[in-house]
Amino acid sequence: MGMWSIGAGALGAAALALFLANTDVFLPKSRRATLEYLEDIDLKTLEKEPRTFKAKELWEKNGAVIMAVRRPGCFLCREEAADLSSLKPKLDELGVPLYAVVKEQIRTEVKDFQPYFKGEIFLDEKKKFYGPQKRKMVFMGFVRLGVWYNFFRAWNGGFSGNLEGEGFILGGVFVVGPGKQGLLLEHREKEFGDKVNLVSVLEAARKIQPQTSASETK
């Protein structure tokens, strides 16, 4: 009887742990970024002779949609990149550029990611776009039903990837208006494969009010 009680208790504890792992109770908490925080981020171009510049250059005149890529070789990230790229014709009509930032450049990982993403890609070595409070998901990600659903969705969509690079720091998507219009959308990935809503991205992009120069207003 004692062994049965121990076994039942262990089974109950495991069931409770599995249940809690599939709620938002233990998900890493995020802190919203401010425009000032994002503006001051240092980014690098991926050329042979990289140029370092402040992130605000990306959206200063026309705003921007920016994907903070968790890992270029991840098939879930490639799926989201392809989804965002499907919006590019509409973003082009609005005059809003599409960009991505990565946190590391390993071998051909960024090059292999480019067929999925139809915008320029920059390096965020200090991982600032993944902050101000960096969030990680490690082993809990593999017991979440939502993550497994995302896995199967991407596999069924024909996406594949590899295990190169750091993939535990969660990414996100931002829509930023020009000048001081500020953040119009901030999507923080809560688990592996938690994609941004494309309708929300377009709605935010349509709110962008491009900056006009003094000569244009005369």
Side-chain angles (χ1 to χ4, degrees), residues 10 25 29 67 73 93 95 105-106 113 133 135 178 188 198 201 204 209 214:
V25 173
K29 303 296 185 244
M67 177 183 181
E93 287 177 12
Q105 187 177 14
I106 301 176
F113 181 72
Q133 184 174 323
R135 299 158 304 114
R188 296 288 184 172
L198 297 183
V201 173
Q209 301 165 358

Side-chain angles (χ1 to χ4, degrees), residues 196-216:
V196 69
N197 183 294
L198 297 183
V199 173
S200 298
V201 173
L202 270 182
E203 287 177 351
R206 290 191 178 108
K207 294 177 183 176
I208 287 176
Q209 301 165 358
Q211 295 285 90
T212 56
S213 64
S215 60
E216 291 175 320

Side-chain angles (χ1 to χ4, degrees), residues 39-125:
E39 284 178 331
D40 199 45
I41 294 174
D42 289 321
L43 297 177
K44 282 186 178 180
T45 60
L46 298 176
E47 304 154 341
K48 287 185 178 179
E49 296 183 7
R51 177 178 74 92
T52 300
F53 64 97
K54 293 297 182 183
K56 67 179 180 180
E57 284 188 28
L58 298 182
W59 59 79
E60 207 161 23
K61 292 183 179 179
N62 298 306
V65 176
I66 304 167
M67 177 183 181
V69 182
R70 181 166 51 80
R71 191 170 63 81
C74 170
F75 69 111
L76 296 171
C77 299
R78 291 175 173 184
E79 179 195 32
E80 183 167 31
D83 285 354
L84 283 170
S85 295
S86 73
L87 298 180
K88 194 161 192 314
K90 292 181 180 178
L91 293 174
D92 287 346
E93 287 177 12
L94 295 169
V96 177
L98 175 65
Y99 300 119
V101 297
V102 295
K103 46 180 138 74
E104 55 190 356
Q105 187 177 14
I106 301 176
R107 291 185 282 279
T108 63
E109 288 304 291
V110 175
K111 181 181 177 181
D112 295 340
F113 181 72
Q114 285 174 325
Y116 303 94
F117 189 77
K118 305 305 180 186
E120 288 188 76
I121 303 173
F122 303 97
L123 179 63
D124 176 13
E125 286 182 313

Side-chain angles (χ1 to χ4, degrees), residues 136-174:
K136 284 189 177 184
M137 175 166 282
V138 190
F139 301 112
M140 187 174 70
F142 299 100
V143 297
R144 287 181 64 85
L145 297 178
V147 171
W148 284 99
Y149 170 81
N150 296 339
F151 283 166
F152 286 118
R153 181 196 63 218
W155 279 328
N156 288 334
F159 292 92
S160 60
N162 57 54
L163 298 176
E164 294 283 347
E166 195 288 321
F168 297 128
I169 297 175
L170 298 170
V173 174
F174 304 84

